[in-house]
Structures are given as C-alpha cells and as structure tokens.
C-alpha cells in the first residue's frame, strides 16, 4: 500500500511539472504559477516519504499489508534530500567565508566587500543577512549614476531576502533535477527574481540608467557561484531583452506574497493524513 502511495505521488508530481509552459502574463501571475509548479511536486513527494517513514515498515493499511521495500525507498529519498542540503549549505558557507576575506569599502552610506577583479560584478552574498560584494572593475567602469542604480538593484535583493529563499529553492532544484521542466522553471524564477529587484530599483533611480547598467554588467562573465548569491546579471544574457523591456515599460506592481496564494500548497500535506488509517 505504501508503495502505491509513493507511485501515486510520483505520477502527480510528474504530471504537474509536465504541464508547465511559459506564459506572457503579469509578474505576479507568472511568479505564483512558476513557484507552485516548482515547489508543489517535490513537497508532495517529500510529505509522502515522511508519512511512509512515520508509519514504519510493518502494519496494515486499507486492508493491505505493508512491507519494508517502500520504507527503504522513502528512507533513501529523505536521506538524499538531507545530504544534498548539507552539501549546498557547506558550499554556501564557503562562499560567505570567501566573501568575508575581501576588504571593506565605503560607498556613500553603504559598505561593501571589494572584489579585486576587472570583471563587472555586484551581488549580495550570504543567507538571511547577506553582504554586498562589488568588483574593482565595476567601480572603475561605471559612472556615479550607473553605480547608484546597481546598488539600488542589489538593495532590492536584500529587501526581498533573495539569497536566503533562493538557497532553499536551489536545494529543491538539486533534489528534483530528474523531474521534467526543473531547469526551465528554475530559470523562470531567477528571471522573475531579477525583474522584482529591477522594479524595486526603478522606484529609486532612473529606469533608463538602470537598463544601461544592466547592459554593461550582463555582458561580463560571472565570477562567483550562484549559491547564496543574488547578482545584477545572474539571470543571464538570454533574459536581458525581457528585463530591459520591463524597465522601459510602465512600472508593474510586484505585490507581497499573500496568505491565500499559499493555500494550494496545503494539498501537498494530504499524505500525512493517511497515517491515521495505518495500524
């Protein structure tokens, strides 16, 4: 019976991920839809595995006896999740420690770590309280107005705690790389993250200046891993046109997440209810 539960969860997860296709709709609609299809399938599988582990390798459920095979499968899956989390957390910690070795510089009312490279880079590195890292090449290349726009964009990443939340989303990405559309959904979420930070910055600086800064920075090669990092050019050159068009268009509201937008995720916890039918 437990094996049937696992197979059903896998089938639903596969079907939901396969149903994704990119829509040209508003930011909030794209964000909610992409986040749901990215998170719900692995959450459903994970909750099913937790339910199986909680019920144990022996017993009876729905008139059918349970065996140890499904229990071992669930245990391996949860252990795989845990190992990947530890691995990514260690890599993130290494990135943070590396960033802390860079010297501090003052940029007006802000402080940043100075990366000694000619590449154009600016990004937040860390978890809940990230630090701003900026390259020597960026300081030497950009004008004060362009630099201000870059700092405003990075402040947007800090405001939305993007490094923290995308660490966990990156963990989900690594755990479910075998599901369909994992990479397209990940790239979509990265692009929407950058659009949100662009929108935040556009309220403080000239959007045209920010677009010009974006063109300069995205053309430069990335110099730091994406783990625990949110940088101006992290969505890649393939999303550049979309971001520039969004900056030049009338501003679009990016509302904060509301409680009702999370109601759909409660369905992923339904497997836990099956525990009461186990004996």
């Amino acid at each position: 019976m437990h094996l049937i539960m696992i197979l059903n969860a896998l089938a639903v997860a596969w079907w939901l991920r396969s149903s994704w296709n990119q829509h040209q709709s508003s930011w909030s609609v794209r964000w909610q839809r992409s986040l749901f299809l990215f998170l719900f399938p692995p959450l459903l599988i994970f909750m099913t595995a937790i339910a199986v582990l909680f019920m144990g390798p022996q017993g009876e459920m729905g008139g059918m006896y349970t065996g140890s095979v499904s229990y071992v499968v669930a245990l391996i899956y949860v252990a795989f999740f845990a190992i990947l989390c530890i691995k990514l957390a260690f890599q993130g910690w290494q990135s943070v420690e590396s960033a802390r070795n860079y010297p501090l510089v003052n940029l007006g009312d802000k402080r940043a770590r100075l990366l000694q490279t000619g590449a154009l880079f600016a990004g937040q590195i860390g978890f809940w309280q990230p630090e701003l890292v900026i390259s020597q090449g960026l300081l030497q290349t950009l004008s004060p107005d362009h630099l201000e726009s870059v700092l405003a964009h990075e402040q947007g990443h800090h405001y939305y705690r993007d490094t923290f939340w995308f660490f966990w989303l990156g963990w989900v990405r690594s755990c479910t790389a075998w599901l369909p559309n994992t990479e397209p959904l990940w790239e979509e979420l990265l692009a929407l993250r950058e659009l949100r930070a662009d929108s935040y910055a556009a309220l403080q600086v000239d959007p045209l200046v920010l677009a010009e800064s974006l063109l300069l920075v995205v053309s430069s090669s990335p110099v730091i891993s994406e783990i625990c990092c949110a940088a101006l050019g992290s969505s890649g050159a393939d999303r550049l046109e979309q971001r520039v068009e969004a900056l030049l268009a009338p501003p679009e509201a990016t509302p904060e997440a509301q409680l009702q937008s999370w109601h759909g995720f409660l369905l992923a916890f339904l497997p836990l209810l099956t525990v009461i039918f186990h004996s």
Side-chain angles (χ1 to χ4, degrees), residues 7-159:
L7 292 176
N8 285 337
L10 290 172
V12 172
W14 193 277
W15 172 73
L16 283 174
R17 279 291 189 85
S18 298
S19 68
W20 181 79
N21 52 72
Q22 193 170 5
H23 285 281
Q24 295 300 322
S25 52
S26 66
W27 183 94
S28 58
V29 172
R30 288 173 60 190
W31 175 261
Q32 291 178 18
R33 185 172 185 273
S34 299
L35 188 62
F36 178 81
L37 292 177
F38 187 81
L39 276 182
F40 184 88
L43 185 60
L44 177 65
I45 297 172
F46 186 73
M47 288 299 106
T48 302
I50 292 296
V52 170
L53 290 179
F54 191 84
M55 289 184 283
Q58 296 180 345
E60 185 179 347
M61 182 179 176
M64 300 176 63
Y65 287 99
T66 59
S68 59
V69 174
S70 55
Y71 182 85
V72 172
V73 170
L75 185 62
I76 291 174
Y77 187 76
V78 172
F80 175 68
F81 259 53
I83 291 171
L84 276 180
C85 184
I86 294 171
K87 175 186 175 183
L88 290 176
F90 178 71
Q91 290 175 344
W93 175 79
Q94 286 183 314
S95 297
V96 172
E97 288 300 304
S98 176
R100 287 174 178 167
N101 291 327
Y102 305 145
L104 280 169
V105 293
N106 292 316
L107 302 172
D109 59 342
K110 297 180 178 64
R111 302 186 75 189
R113 298 284 179 176
L114 184 62
L115 184 61
Q116 300 290 344
T117 176
L120 305 185
F121 176 83
Q124 298 284 343
I125 297 179
F127 292 92
W128 186 255
Q129 289 289 352
E131 287 192 89
L132 175 62
V133 176
I134 196 166
S135 69
Q136 184 71 43
L138 194 75
L139 293 179
Q140 294 174 345
T141 303
L142 298 189
S143 67
D145 288 342
H146 287 97
L147 181 60
E148 181 185 3
S149 69
V150 171
L151 296 180
H153 174 93
E154 294 307 323
Q155 183 59 36
H157 284 310
H158 187 278
Y159 176 79

